[in-house]
Amino acid sequence: MKPVLFNNIEFKEIMEYVQELVKQTEKIPDKETQELTAEILKYYDLLHREPLSRILKAIESSYPDLKDALKLDYTINKLLELYDFENSNSKSISKKS
């Protein structure tokens, strides 16, 4: 599969659109569908959070300065913020509720 590359503006627009979609799911009139959607989003988050945590632990133990260098990239920094990794090390991650 060919990688898809977005510039920072396009990436920001995608993030904003996803946020809007998530807000829309909270307005779904059918409660069963609303709960199912919330559950899918929760597990989608966990599906990415765990491997990202392990990647960051490996980086921090083998290349301690690399995380700071990676954070200079807008999209990487936003991903770290999204998964609560931006100001803490990967050992103290907690899921926002």
Side-chain angles (χ1 to χ4, degrees):
M1 175 189 283
K2 184 179 176 182
V4 177
L5 301 174
F6 299 103
N7 65 40
N8 293 346
I9 294 169
E10 292 168 325
F11 187 78
K12 184 178 180 195
E13 289 171 350
I14 291 167
M15 285 183 26
E16 290 170 351
Y17 184 64
V18 169
Q19 289 174 338
E20 181 57 37
L21 291 173
V22 170
K23 287 179 187 176
Q24 288 179 29
T25 66
E26 296 168 357
K27 298 175 186 175
I28 295 173
D30 178 57
K31 290 298 177 194
E32 186 175 325
T33 303
Q34 187 183 55
E35 290 171 5
L36 176 61
T37 304
E39 193 77 359
I40 291 169
L41 290 171
K42 173 185 170 185
Y43 279 92
Y44 190 81
D45 175 278
L46 295 173
L47 184 68
H48 292 92
R49 185 179 298 275
E50 182 62 26
L52 183 57
S53 173
R54 293 179 188 198
I55 290 168
L56 290 174
K57 284 179 185 177
I59 288 171
E60 289 170 347
S61 65
S62 299
Y63 307 97
D65 297 330
L66 181 55
K67 182 179 173 186
D68 289 334
L70 290 172
K71 287 171 59 174
L72 296 175
D73 180 278
Y74 176 81
T75 61
I76 294 172
N77 193 51
K78 288 300 175 186
L79 180 69
L80 295 174
E81 289 176 359
L82 181 65
Y83 286 96
D84 307 319
F85 289 101
E86 78 285 358
N87 291 322
S88 61
N89 68 35
S90 55
K91 295 175 190 164
S92 63
I93 300 307
S94 63
K95 172 81 177 91
K96 287 183 180 176
S97 305

